Amino acid sequence: MKAIRWPIGQLILLLNFIFSPRSPKRAEAEQAKIDDKTQTLSLYQLPSCPFCVKVRRTMKREGLKIELRNISGKNDFQQELIREGGKRKVPCLRIEKADGQVQWLYESNDVVAHLQTLTKAA
């Protein structure tokens, strides 16, 4: 299975690189306001996952700066995702709310919708 996934993943990354969306141009104050809203967000992802690419493209298209946490390799992000989020599934957006509560969004469509509401509210 890995022999099939690896070339497909590389093709996804290449196409994403070639057809990468542009970030919007905003006034500094407006961008700072949006950046402030995204400070408490983290995206758990895998680089060549097509659903993760979809979310990252939305982030770029909307001009959002969100910490990316790659769950592959030797790091603690995968264990953190399983321990705190409940399952190893990506993309997963970790949303830390003002009251300290943490929400985990797992579906790419839900994550994209949430990210788009951040920029529309600004």
Side-chain angles (χ1 to χ4, degrees), residues 60-98:
K60 184 158 186 185
R61 192 177 305 111
E62 299 291 334
L64 302 175
K65 296 174 186 158
I66 298 172
E67 178 187 6
L68 297 178
R69 296 183 175 181
N70 186 350
I71 67 164
S72 68
K74 296 187 190 252
N75 59 42
D76 296 330
F77 295 138
Q78 180 175 321
Q79 293 306 318
E80 184 178 302
L81 176 63
I82 294 168
R83 183 179 62 249
E84 295 180 26
K87 52 188 166 182
R88 184 193 182 277
K89 181 180 174 188
V90 291
C92 180
L93 185 66
R94 181 183 187 273
I95 306 164
E96 190 172 333
K97 300 187 180 191

Side-chain angles (χ1 to χ4, degrees), residues 11-26:
L11 178 62
I12 288 169
L13 291 174
L14 176 65
L15 292 173
N16 181 52
F17 177 76
I18 293 171
F19 300 107
S20 183
R22 294 179 189 236
S23 295
K25 295 189 186 330
R26 293 189 180 100

Side-chain angles (χ1 to χ4, degrees), residues 26-120:
R26 293 189 180 100
E28 281 187 41
E30 185 181 353
Q31 185 64 48
K33 190 175 174 183
I34 291 172
D35 292 345
D36 189 50
K37 288 182 178 182
T38 61
Q39 269 188 322
T40 59
L41 303 178
S42 303
L43 181 68
Y44 292 79
Q45 51 97 38
L46 291 167
S48 58
C49 162
F51 299 105
C52 298
V53 169
K54 174 183 176 180
V55 172
R56 289 194 313 266
R57 289 177 65 85
T58 299
M59 288 168 46
K60 184 158 186 185
R61 192 177 305 111
E62 299 291 334
L64 302 175
K65 296 174 186 158
I66 298 172
E67 178 187 6
L68 297 178
R69 296 183 175 181
N70 186 350
I71 67 164
S72 68
K74 296 187 190 252
N75 59 42
D76 296 330
F77 295 138
Q78 180 175 321
Q79 293 306 318
E80 184 178 302
L81 176 63
I82 294 168
R83 183 179 62 249
E84 295 180 26
K87 52 188 166 182
R88 184 193 182 277
K89 181 180 174 188
V90 291
C92 180
L93 185 66
R94 181 183 187 273
I95 306 164
E96 190 172 333
K97 300 187 180 191
D99 63 359
Q101 293 285 343
V102 176
Q103 178 184 358
W104 298 83
L105 272 180
Y106 278 97
E107 294 297 322
S108 61
N109 288 334
D110 295 340
V111 173
V112 166
H114 180 76
L115 297 178
Q116 289 172 336
T117 61
L118 291 175
T119 55
K120 287 188 180 23

